Amino acid sequence: MFYYHAGSERDFPHDSEIPLDLIRQTAQEFLVAGGKRPTCVCGQRMPPPDLT
């Protein structure tokens, strides 16, 4: 899956999309918790981009 942002192409894992309802829940939890990381989603580290 590729996304283009500011003229740059970036590959993301296929399972990196989440439903809009979960995005809203995550934003609400972030604001209520004073900017702490939301617990309703899990992050995953991206491998470094191929610079070749």
Side-chain angles (χ1 to χ4, degrees):
M1 173 182 328
F2 286 97
Y3 286 95
Y4 295 92
H5 176 59
S8 297
E9 181 179 291
R10 182 66 194 228
D11 188 22
F12 283 87
H14 290 286
D15 62 349
S16 61
E17 292 184 328
I18 61 174
L20 184 56
D21 288 341
L22 186 53
I23 292 171
R24 288 182 179 128
Q25 180 183 349
T26 302
Q28 181 180 17
E29 185 176 334
F30 177 79
L31 293 172
V32 169
K36 294 182 182 175
R37 288 184 183 230
T39 58
C40 62
V41 293
C42 296
Q44 60 184 4
R45 294 214 181 261
M46 291 286 297
D50 184 10
L51 300 176
T52 59

